[in-house]
Structure formats: structure tokens, C-alpha cells
Amino acid sequence: MTSSKQMEQARAALDNFAIELPSWGFANTGTRFGKFVQSSAATTTEEKLADAGAVHRCTGCCPSVAVHVLWDFPNGAADVPAVMQAAAVHGVRIGAINPNVFQDQCYKNGSFGNPDPEIRKIALAHCLDSVEIQNATGSRDLSLWFADGISYPGTGSIRARKDWFVEGLRTLHGALSGDQRMLVEYKPFEPAFYATDIADWGMSYIYCKHSGPRAKVLVDTGHHYQAQNIEQIVAWLLSENMLAGFHFNDRRYADDDLTLGCMDPYQVFRIFHEICYFTWETGHAPDIAYMVDQSHNLKNKIEETIQTSNNAQEMFAKAALVDHEKIAAHQMKGDLIDAEETLRDAFFTDVRPLLREWRRSKGLPEDPMAAFRESGYLQKAERDRAEKNRGAVASYA
Ligand code: PSV
Ligand code: MN
């Protein structure tokens, strides 16, 4: 039986749970084999922000949008006023700034890890320009992902590349000020296939430690080997005060960019459980940017984003329902079955009535998907954008 204290815990958790949406999730993207163009997909940064605003209006839990510098700020800081204005019009904020040092031709052999010092300089300059954008937008987080690595044994010095990374990241860290943070994302595979320069959380952690106190780890749930215990990584990073953000998505085989929780909702729940357990034990919620990183080729992008935010809220509410006193006591006594059942009790509790009640209490639609469908937004977007999307080729796969 769920006690009223647990319900209160879940309501409070929802109050403080904001999910940041990726601007790139609203544009036509796809796989490297094919792109199925959606006539309603956003074709400009303004349209991406409008779509994010539509999601936030229905869900009330997605107030900010992560942006990718090359795709959303093609003219660098000069684009800031227009982007800020569009965000304000559509009722969202600009969130994490993502530099892009993986698409230009010069990055074939890497960016911060490139053996050519001239290319390393170009990559650093782009990241420093991104800090300028961060200053101008007031975004707290600079979110870094590097495609760097080598794809064939013997084709690069793993240690030299590490040293170049340390040098670049340290310099970049020095450009941050105020409350700004630098999030370092890891990924073991793709596009490098032999030795990625930031392949796992240990490497991210070490780079952060070399960089300075503003540098923390970002966990993208799709960036792990099969069967890796992500919640254990989360628990370790929490206990070291080194976890600053997530990129949420689900996967079956690799970095599949599927809807959060579609394959393994229990894993999402276990990740959130570590966070809620930590919050209960320490008396404070960790400072984590919960971001989505998904690109949808098949489902409608806006509806899918609503589905994702709903899944995230459901799993977070379930994790907040865990009876922490009880599970801690069972763990201390070695009551394995009772401890595990305490966790499972929360996971199997239907939180949908609680979510509906929470939404009502905030003046939000009880069913965000139905509200979005009733709004006619999608039909209008199709009408307005179909022509622009005809024959569109995605900018990123
Ligand atoms: C790379 O796979 C990644 O997860 C990084 O976060 C990028 O910024 C994002 O996807 C979009 O390409
Ligand atoms: Mn990511």
C-alpha cells in the first residue's frame, strides 16, 4: 500500500522535475541508410522552438530547449537575439549549448584529439565561440560531445590524444564564469570504431578532474555497452558529486535513439531510484540537467516528444514512491527479498492517476497527447511546412 507520505514525495518530485528538449529532435533527421521526411517537421530554429513550446504547453514540464551551435546558430553569437526572441515568443528558454566539432571536413581525424595542432585550434575556437553564445543566452551548461577517436589499431597515439584533450578541455574550462558548467559526454562507439577518445564514464571523469570544478559528467543512456549497469554508474557519480546531466533515450542494440523507456522502463526507473534514494539520504536533490537526446525517423516528432516526457514523469514518480526508510532497513539487515520487493512495489504502482491529479492541480491538461491532438497544431504545421519539407534532406543522421 502506498502511504500518503509516499504520494506526497512523488508530487514534490514531479514539482521539481523539468525535462529539457533537444532542438534537433524536431527537424528531419534519420539514419545513414534513409530518411523518412515528415511534412510537419521543423525547418528553421524558430520552428523547432515553436514545436518545443507546443510540447511545453501540453506537458508543463519541458521549459527549456538544448541547442546545437552549428544547426541553430549558423552565424554564431550574431544569431542570439533572434533565437532568444523566438524562444520567448514560444514560451521556452534556451538551455544547454552544444558545440559541434564533428561535422566539418577538417575533423576527419578528430577535433581536440587531432594530431594537427591547427585543427585542434579550430575546434577550440569553435568551443570558445560557443561559450560566447552561452554568455549571451545565459545558459548554464556547455554540453560537450566529441566524435573523436581512431577506427583502426595503430593509427594514432591513444596517450597523445588523451593529452591533447586534457589541454583543450582545460583551456575551455578557463573560459567559463559565473555559475556556468561544462558537461562532458562519453560514448564508446560510433563514429570511431576502435578507440574513442572519451569512451566511458571513467574517461569523462578523468578529463573533468583535469579540467576543473565546473566540469562534470553527462550520461547519455544510449552510450553504453550492452548489459552495462547504468544505474551503478549514476550512483557512483552521485556519490562523487560528478553527475551533472543526462541525455535520455532508449536502445536495443546501439545508440538507437528510441523513445525513453520503450525497451526497458525498469532500467529508467532504477536510474531514477538511485537519484531519489540519494536525495532522501542527503536531504537535497542533486543538480542534474535532465535532457532528452532522441531523433525520430518514424514516429511523429512532436507527439513522440510528448510520449517521452510522459514516460520520464511516470518513471520519476514511481522512483519517488519507493519507501526509502523501509528499503534502507531491509538492505542493512540483508533481507534480500523484502528489499527487492520494496523496489518492485513502487515500480508496479500505477502512477497515472497521480499524474493526472498533479496536472489538474497545475492547471495542465490531464492527457497531454489528447490536448496536443485537439489543438490542431500538427495540421497547421503540415500546411505551413509541407512545401519546405518536400525533398528535404536531413542535416544530421
Ligand atoms: C552523439 O551521439 C549525441 O548523443 C551527442 O549528444 C550529440 O550532441 C547528439 O547525439 C546529437 O547529435
Ligand atoms: Mn547525447
Side-chain angles (χ1 to χ4, degrees), residues 15-28:
D15 283 347
N16 296 310
F17 186 54
I19 304 156
E20 183 161 306
L21 303 178
S23 69
W24 55 98
F26 297 106
N28 269 317

Side-chain angles (χ1 to χ4, degrees), residues 56 67 155 171 188 195 209 229 309 319-320 329-330 354 367 382 393:
H56 184 48
V67 287
T155 59
T171 310
K209 285 290 169 190
N229 185 337
S309 70
H330 287 314
L354 170 75
D367 181 343
E382 262 164 17
V393 178

Side-chain angles (χ1 to χ4, degrees), residues 185 220 223 247 293:
E185 181 174 356
D220 182 314
H223 294 185
H247 272 179
D293 184 3

Side-chain angles (χ1 to χ4, degrees), residues 24 68 71 98 102 145 185 187 190 220 223 247 255 293 396:
W24 55 98
H68 237 287
W71 310 329
N98 290 250
F102 52 87
W145 174 68
E185 181 174 356
K187 180 175 182 176
E190 194 203 47
D220 182 314
H223 294 185
H247 272 179
D255 188 19
D293 184 3
Y396 175 73

Side-chain angles (χ1 to χ4, degrees), residues 210-290:
H210 281 296
S211 303
R214 299 169 183 280
K216 306 250 157 143
V217 179
L218 182 148
V219 175
D220 182 314
T221 47
H223 294 185
H224 299 88
Y225 297 114
Q226 292 288 19
Q228 201 160 1
N229 185 337
I230 302 176
E231 62 269 26
Q232 186 177 21
I233 295 172
V234 167
W236 272 66
L237 290 173
L238 281 171
S239 102
E240 293 291 324
N241 188 24
M242 287 299 283
L243 177 64
F246 280 100
H247 272 179
F248 284 127
N249 48 67
D250 209 341
R251 54 81 70 83
R252 171 91 181 143
Y253 300 105
D255 188 19
D256 305 333
D257 262 351
L258 301 177
T259 308
L260 179 71
C262 69
M263 290 293 165
D264 191 354
Y266 194 39
Q267 181 183 67
V268 183
F269 165 81
R270 295 192 307 264
I271 290 172
F272 286 148
H273 164 61
E274 289 306 327
I275 294 167
C276 293
Y277 200 16
F278 173 90
T279 304
W280 171 76
E281 233 165 56
T282 60
H284 73 271
D287 192 358
I288 298 173
Y290 296 102

Side-chain angles (χ1 to χ4, degrees), residues 312-331:
Q313 282 187 309
E314 283 183 10
M315 293 308 132
F316 200 73
K318 281 172 189 277
L321 280 183
V322 172
D323 187 331
H324 295 121
E325 278 95 359
K326 193 166 149 192
I327 202 168
H330 287 314
Q331 287 175 354

